[in-house]
């Protein structure tokens, strides 16, 4: 019997989502006959891991610490194999500015952007450069913190007057923010398990274009998910191959979810980001995609544990 420590909760803004992912993972592992220890991650994490002495850790944490490589670094040090990506892949995925630079360098299309730290505004007068940025990106401009997930701190600024407020909101989540070209189109996600792309999911916000906010995403019924997305074969293949290219570029392992947009006017696909620890709640995209690909939830969770134990090298 494999002893699995399920790491969940934590202190990030996505604590509640993580508790839900973690509870579902625990149930699935118990049904699979594993010996399960749930750990709500806090300052005693290392001590609790040593006490529990699991064969493997299932990282069901989202947001800061759990997804940015911190917990992965501790697991490396304590010598416990863990699910999902290794430290450097987590670091590359977590920082959207770094991730977008890497994608741009590798020829993976991602919306144009400009990124600034708080000090650029406080000490270097970056506000003076905003009109030039706005001219290049055109309105609406998307303003988002470099790190965070679940659409936290993301605002669409429809005119110059809305940009300062959007920047203040984004800076309340991170010291680095990006201004990004807005893509008017469809919201797609391609999840991968062991590098294999699953069917594409489309997230359709209900009740207005701006309704895609944090609350909508986790409230059943406010975002409709269509899987497989109604796309032509060519778009599906392109979305999956971009997702695979991003997986390889970032050095992901186990599983990941790649968020994309398909621009209505041009049909072009853009990668927004790669989620190193995708949600596993009942409304999350990866479990839905796995299901559509013939991989039930229990099987999915069992497979992720197997992959962790198989010890593919962490990048
Ligand atoms: N450049 C963009 N153009 C249009 N919509 C965007 C853009 N960036 C983000 N969004 C919307 O916000 C959502 C969250 O953005 P994303 O970059 O994936 O950050 P998060 O880490 O919060 O998921 C996207 O799924 C999309 O609906
Ligand atoms: Mg996203």
């Amino acid at each position: 019997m494999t002893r699995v420590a399920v790491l969940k909760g934590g202190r990030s803004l996505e604590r509640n989502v993580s508790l839900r992912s973690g509870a579902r993972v625990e149930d699935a592992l118990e049904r699979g006959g594993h010996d399960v220890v749930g750990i709500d991650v806090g300052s005693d994490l290392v001590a609790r891991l040593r006490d529990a002495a699991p064969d493997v850790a299932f990282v069901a944490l989202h947001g800061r610490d759990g997804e940015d490589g911190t917990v992965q670094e501790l697991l490396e040090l304590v010598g416990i194999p863990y699910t999902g990506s290794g430290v450097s892949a987590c670091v590359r995925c977590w920082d959207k500015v770094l991730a977008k630079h890497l994608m741009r360098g590798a020829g993976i299309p991602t919306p144009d952007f400009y990124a600034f730290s708080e000090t650029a505004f406080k000490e270097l007068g970056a506000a003076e450069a905003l009109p030039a940025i706005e001219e290049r990106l055109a309105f609406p401009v998307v303003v988002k913190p470099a790190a965070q997930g679940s659409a936290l701190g993301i605002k669409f600024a429809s005119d110059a007057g809305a940009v300062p407020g959007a920047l203040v909101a984004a800076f309340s989540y991170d010291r680095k923010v990006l201004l990004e070209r807005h893509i008017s189109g469809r919201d797609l996600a391609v999840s991968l398990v062991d590098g294999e792309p699953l069917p594409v999911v489309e997230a359709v916000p209900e009740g207005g274009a701006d309704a895609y906010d944090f609350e909508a995403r986790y409230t059943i019924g406010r975002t409709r998910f269509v899987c497989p997305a109604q796309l032509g074969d060519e778009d599906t293949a392109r979305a999956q191959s971009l997702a695979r290219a991003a997986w390889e570029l970032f050095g992901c392992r186990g599983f990941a979810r790649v968020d994309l947009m398909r621009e209505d006017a041009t049909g072009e696909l853009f990668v927004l980001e790669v989620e190193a620890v995708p949600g596993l709640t009942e409304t999350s995209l990866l479990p839905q995609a796995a299901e559509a690909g013939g991989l039930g939830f229990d099987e999915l969770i069992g497979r992720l544990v197997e992959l962790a134990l198989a010890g593919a090298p962490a990048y």
Side-chain angles (χ1 to χ4, degrees), residues 96 144 148-151 154 180-181 183 187 212 259 273:
K96 290 189 172 90
K144 56 174 92 165
Q148 268 325 313
S150 305
I154 298 185
E180 192 174 62
R181 183 168 88 82
I183 306 295
D187 218 310
Y212 208 69
D259 290 343
E273 62 151 354

Side-chain angles (χ1 to χ4, degrees), residues 104 162 284:
R104 193 151 73 180
S284 301

Side-chain angles (χ1 to χ4, degrees), residues 8-49:
K8 58 180 180 174
R11 292 171 311 124
S12 92
L13 296 169
E14 292 173 82
R15 170 178 174 81
N16 287 329
V17 181
S18 166
L19 287 174
R20 282 166 51 192
S21 289
R24 262 193 111 195
V25 168
E26 285 175 20
D27 289 347
L29 289 169
E30 271 161 14
R31 283 192 295 269
H34 297 289
D35 177 16
V36 181
V37 197
I39 297 181
D40 190 341
V41 169
S43 54
D44 56 354
L45 174 63
V46 172
R48 290 190 65 181
L49 282 170

